[in-house]
Amino acid sequence: MDNFGVALRITLVFYLFTSGSSTCLTGCSCTDDNLGRSLLCMETSMVRIPDNIPHDFSKIRIENCHLTELPRGSFSKVSALEFLWLNFNEITLMNVKSLDGLANLTELRLQGNKLTSVTWTAFQDTPKLKILDLKHNRLDVLPEHALRHLPALTYLDLSFNQLSVISKDIFINWPLYQTAEKTWGKEGVVSNVVLALHDNPWLCDCRLKGFVEFIRAVSPPIILMNSYLMCSGPASKADKFFHEIQLKTCMKPVASAPETNITLPLGANAMLTCLVKARPGPTIKWMYSLKIIRGFAATETNTDEETITSELVIPSLHLADQGLYTCTANNFIGNSSVAITVNISPFNSSALLPPPVPMVSSDENSNIDIRIAKQTVYGITLEWHAETDNLAETWFTIHFGKYDLPKKEMIYIGPGINTYSLNDLLPVTKYEVCVTLKNHKPKEGQCIVFVTGSDISELEQRERLIHIIVIVCAMVLAVPVGMFACTTEARFSCFDRCVNLWKKRRLHGGNLQGTERQGTFDSLQAASDEGLCRDSEEKPKKRRKSEDRCKGGSAAQLY
């Protein structure tokens, strides 16, 4: 019995000491060779690092297992680990203590993952690391002191990532690089250090100047796996090798303007120009003190590799557009700005006339649909839609004036704008407004004729009067070609009859017939024919005669 108890104790102790080395993870395989014990897990649905990995492995290879992160102390219990391969997973995060306890690690391979950055301070726990493979990830930044904690590294692969700009100081600050000449020179031993940096989208501007010079000067014992590094941008240097280009030192932006004080008439179009010289190319913004935005369009063009021209277009100047505009340019070195003052002079119709260029035939014009979008006590707002091949660069001309004037005022409207307000209209006046492409003659379907209401002294009455008459008539004017509008060829006698009728109805608490239907297109013609030109107090025969006269003068086809 005593012998049996002793044997049982020995067996139990032996099991406790050997259980960690005799088991293997489910779905994985374990082998022993002259390098030690290995764990191989391929294409399993592991998702995360197991907590029960035996502690006696010297090599672990977990690939295509959908790992998404390296948490704190992922392999801290496997202190003998020398080779760690975690290729072709989906790792995006790496904890700062993910390599804790791996003082003997000499090789780490993370190829084909989704890392956008690496926690480089994590390598403080791996002082013996010699091989670091990070190719085919998504790294876009390499900090200046990234290699500080890798003094024993002899192979670094950063190829096939998203690196575009890095500093030569990354390698200058590398302890191995700093001591290389002294150590190797004294001992007479050449221990090569291999760098793989190819197939990255290098942006060859002034920021890469130091790195390009470093690559050109690289010589053994540092060896580039592929010495033909190629530029991806800017356009002037794309697809050129590093040894084919010359880069200049970076400089902060210098902003200037051909004109810093501009005076234009109300309603004119303003174009503010800002010239910026900088390396690398700056970000340019326009600022206005009142922060009023009316769809201003700013365009940028490259004059040369170092100069950008930014133009701000202010269409149809309003009084609120007067003030100080600032063009500010920034790059990583600094910023610069220039101020441009915009002044608005009293209205001058001659300033709005087009330059002396021939008008284009209307046959070459594009289709433009125009309508009155809004009416106020003081004017109207036009809205138009054009069918052109390049609307973003299309300028328009507004032809506006009294109907009987042979020559109308012309106002240029910049690209991207399809509304314009006409204010300070005279009462009981017939106007015509047309919208065409710049320097084109108006053609059928691009004009609206309208009549303003009577100037009644009481403001509340005037608002009500203009609201009724202009909305009913203008809405009719906005419908497709073929409809009839009461104001297109209106006679003022008929128009005055409508005004008088409105006054009478208002005094007797009545309503103009048809106004209740003015919100729909189906009721518009009825409103203009019946509501504005019917006097219900007259005798039927007399009323019919009046209607015939009114319709004959006012119901004309839109053009």
Side-chain angles (χ1 to χ4, degrees), residues 37-225:
R37 196 156 186 259
S38 300
L39 172 67
L40 177 62
C41 302
M42 301 289 288
E43 299 183 358
T44 66
S45 56
M46 188 175 291
V47 181
R48 58 184 296 272
I49 305 294
D51 296 326
N52 59 338
I53 297 178
H55 59 74
D56 62 339
F57 287 113
S58 61
K59 182 176 181 180
I60 294 178
R61 185 176 180 182
I62 304 175
E63 297 184 356
N64 288 301
C65 293
H66 308 288
L67 300 179
T68 58
E69 64 174 323
L70 293 181
R72 182 185 182 93
S74 301
F75 303 93
S76 58
K77 296 179 182 179
V78 194
S79 57
L81 190 62
E82 296 182 33
F83 306 93
L84 179 58
W85 290 20
L86 300 173
N87 299 323
F88 308 111
N89 285 286
E90 299 174 12
I91 299 172
T92 59
L93 296 174
M94 184 177 177
N95 187 276
V96 68
K97 300 299 289 183
S98 58
L99 303 178
D100 186 29
L102 300 182
N104 294 312
L105 190 67
T106 60
E107 184 173 327
L108 175 61
R109 295 187 181 270
L110 292 166
Q111 174 186 352
N113 281 281
K114 297 180 180 180
L115 290 167
T116 56
S117 63
V118 172
T119 309
W120 295 97
T121 52
F123 296 111
Q124 294 179 91
D125 298 317
T126 58
K128 296 182 180 180
L129 191 65
K130 293 183 178 180
I131 297 175
L132 179 57
D133 186 356
L134 293 168
K135 64 175 170 283
H136 286 288
N137 275 276
R138 301 175 182 179
L139 303 178
D140 56 3
V141 174
L142 203 59
E144 187 173 317
H145 298 288
L147 307 180
R148 174 183 291 180
H149 304 295
L150 295 165
L153 204 63
T154 59
Y155 178 89
L156 175 62
D157 195 340
L158 294 169
S159 61
F160 296 96
N161 276 278
Q162 296 299 315
L163 299 172
S164 58
V165 175
I166 63 176
S167 170
K168 69 174 182 179
D169 293 336
I170 294 170
F171 304 98
I172 301 301
N173 294 329
W174 190 6
L176 185 147
Y177 180 82
Q178 293 175 343
T179 60
E181 184 175 356
K182 298 177 183 179
T183 304
W184 294 324
K186 290 180 180 179
E187 297 179 359
V189 178
V190 176
S191 179
N192 291 332
V193 179
V194 178
L195 292 178
L197 298 165
H198 54 279
D199 288 284
N200 279 285
W202 299 113
L203 183 60
C204 296
D205 60 21
C206 65
R207 291 169 291 181
L208 209 64
K209 183 176 185 292
F211 176 66
V212 170
E213 293 173 349
F214 171 80
I215 293 298
R216 287 175 177 170
V218 162
S219 60
I222 296 179
I223 297 174
L224 290 175
M225 183 179 290

Side-chain angles (χ1 to χ4, degrees), residues 270-475:
M271 180 177 288
L272 314 185
T273 301
C274 175
L275 302 177
V276 179
K277 191 178 183 67
R279 289 192 299 268
T283 299
I284 301 176
K285 293 182 179 180
W286 287 88
M287 293 180 290
Y288 177 44
S289 57
L290 297 181
K291 295 184 172 62
I292 295 177
I293 300 175
R294 294 198 298 108
F296 297 167
T299 59
E300 295 181 5
T301 55
N302 286 80
T303 306
D304 53 47
E305 288 188 16
E306 302 174 0
T307 307
I308 296 178
T309 301
S310 178
E311 295 178 327
L312 178 70
V313 177
I314 308 175
S316 182
L317 280 172
H318 295 181
L319 289 174
D321 299 329
Q322 185 171 253
L324 193 67
Y325 291 77
T326 305
C327 170
T328 302
N330 294 274
N331 65 13
F332 78 100
I333 296 181
N335 61 75
S336 177
S337 61
V338 61
I340 301 175
T341 302
V342 175
N343 303 300
I344 297 179
S345 62
F347 183 80
N348 180 5
S349 61
S350 63
L352 301 179
L353 295 177
V357 295
M359 296 293 285
V360 181
S361 171
S362 61
D363 294 338
E364 303 176 22
N365 208 346
S366 299
N367 292 327
I368 299 177
D369 294 327
I370 176 176
R371 74 184 188 96
I372 297 179
K374 181 181 178 182
Q375 300 81 36
T376 67
V377 177
Y378 307 103
I380 63 171
T381 298
L382 296 175
E383 183 178 78
W384 62 89
H385 299 279
E387 298 178 6
T388 62
D389 294 333
N390 193 354
L391 192 58
E393 298 181 5
T394 302
W395 285 69
F396 298 95
T397 300
I398 291 181
H399 308 254
F400 172 67
K402 292 182 180 180
Y403 180 75
D404 53 356
L405 289 178
K407 191 173 184 180
K408 304 289 192 296
E409 293 177 358
M410 284 180 278
I411 306 166
Y412 286 162
I413 302 296
I417 305 298
N418 71 329
T419 61
Y420 185 78
S421 295
L422 299 170
N423 296 314
D424 299 321
L425 301 178
L426 298 175
V428 196
T429 305
K430 190 175 183 180
Y431 289 100
E432 181 180 40
V433 59
C434 307
V435 178
T436 68
L437 299 186
K438 188 174 182 181
N439 294 325
H440 283 64
K441 294 180 180 179
K443 72 173 185 178
E444 191 172 315
Q446 294 180 339
C447 297
I448 286 180
V449 177
F450 63 95
V451 179
T452 55
S454 297
D455 189 11
I456 300 175
S457 58
E458 297 181 30
L459 180 61
E460 187 249 338
Q461 288 182 332
R462 181 179 179 221
E463 289 180 352
R464 181 64 178 166
L465 178 65
I466 293 180
H467 177 75
I468 291 175
I469 295 177
V470 176
I471 278 193
V472 172
C473 297
M475 288 290 286

Side-chain angles (χ1 to χ4, degrees), residues 1-20:
M1 186 68 179
D2 293 337
N3 292 336
F4 175 77
V6 172
L8 182 61
R9 290 189 186 93
I10 293 173
T11 302
L12 181 60
V13 171
F14 178 78
Y15 173 79
L16 291 174
F17 276 95
T18 61
S19 59

